[in-house]
Amino acid sequence: MKILMVCLGNICRSPIAEGVLQHKAKLAGLDWIVDSAGTNGLYNGEAPHLLSQKVSKANGIDISHQQSRQLTKLDFSKYDKLYAMANDVLAYMKEIGQEKFDSEKTSLFLDELYPGEHKNVPDPWYGNEDGYVKVFDLIERTCDSIIKNHVEKIKK
Ligand code: 4NP
């Protein structure tokens, strides 16, 4: 399974989500490829935000090798599942995907933890380290749910 995590800049939230889910999937013995992208393309080629790197590293996850890239139409064909970090991201994904946007395989990331609540992962970009710690915790709990929901589904 190929999964794409998407936020606006691909430097704060989705790089953490990529690192955490890839790590947890490996531990769970799942052969998943996890990647991330941003809708705005403003940081193409840049490493994740230093605070995203710091809080990930403090939790045993190295995301320093990642490079920001912009979401493309093709991504909707390349990936089996695409997660939007927030409702504004989802709207931009529809614009980029055009006729390739696939609502069957695209959903809000936090809907895995809080089904049907359509919540956003807050954007830590304008805040301090505490915001990144909170975002990491939310992402970690959601990645646990993604794996749990997947395992329950394949057991049925
Ligand atoms: P991200 O955070 O979407 O979690 O990577 C942001 C980073 C930069 C900007 C917006 C969000 N920006 O507009 O510059």
Side-chain angles (χ1 to χ4, degrees):
M1 187 145 92
K2 291 185 75 176
I3 299 171
L4 189 67
M5 302 293 187
V6 187
C7 63
L8 297 174
N10 190 211
I11 51 166
C12 299
R13 293 164 291 179
S14 60
I16 298 176
E18 173 188 333
V20 171
L21 189 63
Q22 188 70 81
H23 178 76
K24 287 181 182 284
K26 201 174 171 193
L27 287 179
L30 296 166
D31 190 19
W32 287 359
I33 290 170
V34 188
D35 204 348
S36 65
T39 54
N40 70 23
L42 291 176
Y43 303 91
N44 284 346
E46 292 188 25
H49 192 286
L50 288 177
L51 288 172
S52 287
Q53 292 193 40
K54 187 179 171 184
V55 296
S56 298
K57 202 168 180 189
N59 287 277
I61 296 167
D62 182 6
I63 62 167
S64 62
H65 60 280
Q66 291 185 28
Q67 283 194 337
S68 176
R69 73 164 179 91
Q70 190 168 22
L71 179 76
T72 70
K73 235 185 196 186
L74 269 182
D75 288 321
F76 291 92
S77 313
K78 280 191 199 157
Y79 292 88
D80 305 303
K81 181 77 203 177
L82 297 93
Y83 285 113
M85 291 291 128
N87 284 280
D88 57 349
V89 175
L90 188 59
Y92 289 126
M93 287 173 78
K94 285 179 188 166
E95 276 179 25
I96 292 170
Q98 299 282 313
E99 77 284 356
K100 295 282 184 197
F101 178 85
D102 185 345
S103 59
E104 294 283 308
K105 51 176 163 174
T106 309
S107 59
L108 281 170
F109 179 71
L110 279 190
D111 275 1
E112 294 276 356
L113 185 62
Y114 303 114
E117 294 193 27
H118 309 312
K119 288 183 173 208
N120 299 327
V121 177
D123 191 346
W125 173 245
Y126 302 100
N128 56 19
E129 185 167 342
D130 192 43
Y132 286 79
V133 170
K134 286 188 176 129
V135 160
F136 185 92
D137 176 65
L138 198 52
I139 288 174
E140 180 163 50
R141 288 188 287 123
T142 306
C143 289
D144 284 336
S145 284
I146 289 174
I147 290 177
K148 186 170 147 265
N149 295 343
H150 174 80
V151 169
E152 278 170 8
K153 215 165 156 185
I154 55 174
K155 266 193 199 156
K156 278 181 192 164

